[in-house]
Amino acid sequence: NTDGVILLCGGTREPVSKVAAEGGAPQPVTKLKKGEFSHRWPSFLPDGRHFLYFAQAWAGQPSDRDKTYIGSLDSAEERPLLSSSGPAIYAPPGYIVFVRERMLLAQRFDAKKLRLIGEPFPIAERIESFPQTTTAIFSVSDNGVLAYQRGENTSDLHLAWIDRNGKEIEAVTPPGDYAHPRLSHDGKRVAYDVSDPQNGLADIWTFDLVRRVPTRLTFEPENEVHPIWSPDDQSIVYGSAQPNGAFDLYRKSSTGAGAPERIYTSAALKFPMDWSADGKTIVFQSNDPFQRNNWDIIALSVDKGTAANVIASRFNEDAPQLSPDGHWLAYLSDLSGSLNLYIEPFPPTGAKYQVSTGGGFQPRWRRDGKELFYRTSDDRLVSVTVNATSQGLQISTPTPLFQIRLAAAAGSGGFQYDISPDGQKFLMNVSKIEGVKPITLVTNWTAELKR
């Protein structure tokens, strides 16, 4: 603000804090309440003393629990202002601009009485949004300039077979909001989670690639995500949101028969990533926001139902993928300052091989374990050959295969493609949008509101 006070959010589970521009220790100015996971996206109101901030509810809670609040530097005052899906900002001469379910909205606002006037009205549709981080790409200046970026629509997305040259062979599914496709070991089915356009909640589905028939697997009123197949393709394990914000691990028959079985529970966020070929171990990524608040890699003993750390450090480690023989673990880590791809023996022995240097995401092994694929930060699919010797691993120089147009929904720990059993084609969650999405700039944006 004009007094040199900076508002900031220091971490996922921290409140909004203030710090002087010349330095000093941050001091909290909000307090997390029961049912709230995070406070973020603070922005000052015109008086420079009150501010807006977004309160994110725990995962699994109804979306209307996410709200924008008014806070104050001078007191513990906090008042709910409106339901939203991410940042909200004040725009002269008297509006609050915010996103709700990917719609950019504005509502009249009395900055002196700190109250809304009338009803919200739409400004733009399909704003680029990232639900996991509650980010939305828009901004408004004090002199009437509005900027925003449109995201993908469900009509822009579908699962398709892509050959090793990047050519689309055929579309597999109708358009939809798909995520985390995982092929069965026999290559005849794919499991994925797909979000309901009405409420935004995801369920697990399977798709028969031979008969072209989709089957819904889960029906619970929570988010179910990240499906992985058992080695015999008879069951699927996935993460399901709980009221406390955790995602517990559940197993269900891949035919859809019977009730889901909870196989592991804890207070942390958990997303299953891979299942060993011998059926004994499931590896998942976990984040306990009440403890160290970073991602670790955990191994679950399927028979015993017990879990133990595989890689847990002060850095983030996620997206674990076991080699087909179960002897190696590919994963992502930000120990170098940015996310890159590494391989370690499984179980770990202390040896570590760095695969990527300029950023790496979404690693996938070829079914024979001789090749590893990953996505680069500039959206290329890259391949390295991997050869285990008595001296360790021999890893080739990365070879770019082709530019990709994967859906943007999956973060570092998410996947948007898988590989056919023969390694010759890829099932990808592709977007029809080519190149960088443009930013729309609107000058004198309030003029339309006066008509």
Side-chain angles (χ1 to χ4, degrees), residues 390-410:
S390 57
Q391 285 76 40
L393 277 189
Q394 293 180 344
I395 304 171
S396 71
T397 301
T399 301
L401 298 181
F402 54 86
Q403 197 78 31
I404 54 180
R405 300 197 313 273
L406 292 182

Side-chain angles (χ1 to χ4, degrees), residues 37 75 77 79 86 127 137 205 306 323 343 366 371 388 423 436:
F37 177 75
S75 70
E77 166 193 12
R79 64 177 81 174
I127 296 300
I137 310 302
W205 289 66
T306 57
S323 61
I343 302 176
R366 197 170 75 191
E371 193 173 18
V436 177

Side-chain angles (χ1 to χ4, degrees), residues 2 5 10 63 105 145 149 191 250 294 307 337 356 370 375 393 422:
T2 55
V5 176
S63 60
L105 302 164
V145 179
Q149 187 177 51
Y250 283 77
N294 61 323
S356 68
K370 300 297 185 182
R375 177 182 184 173
L393 277 189
D422 63 4

Side-chain angles (χ1 to χ4, degrees), residues 16-28:
V16 177
S17 294
K18 67 177 179 180
V19 67
E22 61 267 21
Q27 312 247 332

Side-chain angles (χ1 to χ4, degrees), residues 163-181:
D163 68 18
R164 290 182 69 102
N165 295 316
K167 180 181 177 181
E168 183 169 326
I169 302 170
E170 63 173 331
V172 173
T173 62
D177 194 4
Y178 305 101
H180 314 117

Side-chain angles (χ1 to χ4, degrees), residues 44-46 52 81-82 88-98 105-111 115-117 119-121 123 140 445-450:
F44 274 111
L45 290 170
L52 304 174
L81 185 66
L82 49 85
I89 54 179
Y90 175 83
Y95 297 94
I96 301 295
V97 180
F98 62 99
L105 302 164
Q107 189 166 355
R108 294 292 304 274
F109 180 72
D110 187 326
R115 64 180 181 87
L116 294 166
I117 301 169
E119 297 295 325
F121 44 86
I123 301 175
V140 185
W445 70 275
T446 59
E448 290 290 325
L449 310 179
K450 301 172 184 177

